[in-house]
């Protein structure tokens, strides 16, 4: 009996270490809820075969400095994390898409499990060369964010809402890439949201 218990305790300890090892702090970070991000679709079960991200949609953390630095082309939606590569898979253009109206106001929402001190939030959108059947690259995106919300090092709340105007002249399927630049680490959080104008 004693042997069994100690083995279980050791096993639990190892599991805790491996969870912490992947991203620094378990359950820390955040993701976008509007428009619905790929990681949220995965965690809600709207999309299957998502791999590990379905259990931790808040963990799409990668190097900051986008677009000059940050995750490599083709790995942007996973924040450069190969263990979340399902987020970069275009799935033949079949990701669920949120309907939006080009040129109209939209409120972008985030949910946080850790309220990191924040430089700013940035929102990018794909251009006319974007192909929904290909993984996202920088060449597919307008280089300048259409919305930037600076926090000047402040902590966000448990949720955050940013209202802005969607770019005009957009039609069809696009991706909105939301980037949360943390102020006091070298990292940022990335979220791809499939949208339909
Ligand atoms: Cu975090």
């Amino acid at each position: 009996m004693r042997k069994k218990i100690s083995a279980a305790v050791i096993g639990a300890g190892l599991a805790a270490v491996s969870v912490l090892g992947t991203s620094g702090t378990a359950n820390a970070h955040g993701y976008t809820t509007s428009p619905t991000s790929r990681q949220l679709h995965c965690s809600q079960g709207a999309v299957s075969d998502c791999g590990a991200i379905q259990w931790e949609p808040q963990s799409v953390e990668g190097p900051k400095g986008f677009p000059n630095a940050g995750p490599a082309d083709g790995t942007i939606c996973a924040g450069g994390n190969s263990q979340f590569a399902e987020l970069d898979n275009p799935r033949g253009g079949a990701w669920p898409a949120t309907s939006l109206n080009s040129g109209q106001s939209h409120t972008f929402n985030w949910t946080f499990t850790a309220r990191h001190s924040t430089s700013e939030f940035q929102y990018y959108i794909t251009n006319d060369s974007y192909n929904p059947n290909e993984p996202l690259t920088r060449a597919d995106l307008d280089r300048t964010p259409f919305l930037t919300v600076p926090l000047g090092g402040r902590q966000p709340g448990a949720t955050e809402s940013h209202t802005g105007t969607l770019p005009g002249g957009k039609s069809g399927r696009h991706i909105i890439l939301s980037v949360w630049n943390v102020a006091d680490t070298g990292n940022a959080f990335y979220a791809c949201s499939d949208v339909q104008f």
Side-chain angles (χ1 to χ4, degrees):
M1 189 62 183
R2 179 168 296 174
K3 219 175 223 175
K4 254 185 201 158
I5 289 170
S6 61
V9 168
I10 289 167
L14 288 173
V17 167
S18 69
V19 166
L20 290 171
T22 54
S23 52
T25 314
N27 297 323
H29 332 304
Y31 56 95
T32 53
T33 56
S34 178
T36 308
S37 55
R38 289 182 174 182
Q39 48 265 53
L40 181 56
H41 280 304
C42 285
S43 77
Q44 290 177 334
V47 173
S48 54
D49 300 322
C50 279
I53 197 62
Q54 68 186 297
W55 311 117
E56 45 176 327
Q58 70 276 8
S59 295
V60 186
E61 180 176 23
K64 68 182 178 186
F66 193 86
N68 297 323
D73 283 347
T75 73
I76 295 168
C77 293
N81 296 289
S82 55
Q83 74 270 31
F84 303 142
E86 287 86 351
L87 296 174
D88 292 310
N89 181 347
R91 294 178 179 246
W95 281 95
T98 300
S99 291
L100 296 177
N101 295 312
S102 183
Q104 301 293 303
S105 171
H106 183 77
T107 299
F108 299 87
N109 294 324
W110 288 78
T111 291
F112 304 104
T113 56
R115 297 164 53 216
H116 295 294
S117 140
T118 299
S119 300
E120 71 269 302
F121 296 89
Q122 294 178 310
Y123 298 89
Y124 295 86
I125 192 156
T126 47
N127 56 35
D128 288 344
S129 71
Y130 167 62
N131 178 347
N133 295 300
E134 299 288 338
L136 185 67
T137 70
R138 283 165 176 72
D140 298 327
L141 291 160
D142 292 343
R143 190 86 181 171
T144 305
F146 65 87
L147 175 63
T148 297
V149 180
L151 258 59
R154 274 194 299 118
Q155 279 186 298
T159 62
E160 185 88 7
S161 294
H162 307 138
T163 299
T165 304
L166 296 164
K170 297 285 181 186
S171 63
R173 244 187 126 86
H174 283 275
I175 286 179
I176 291 178
L177 170 67
S178 306
V179 182
W180 171 28
N181 288 313
V182 175
D184 55 359
T185 77
N187 287 347
F189 291 83
Y190 295 87
C192 285
S193 299
D194 297 85
V195 300
Q196 173 81 34
F197 288 103

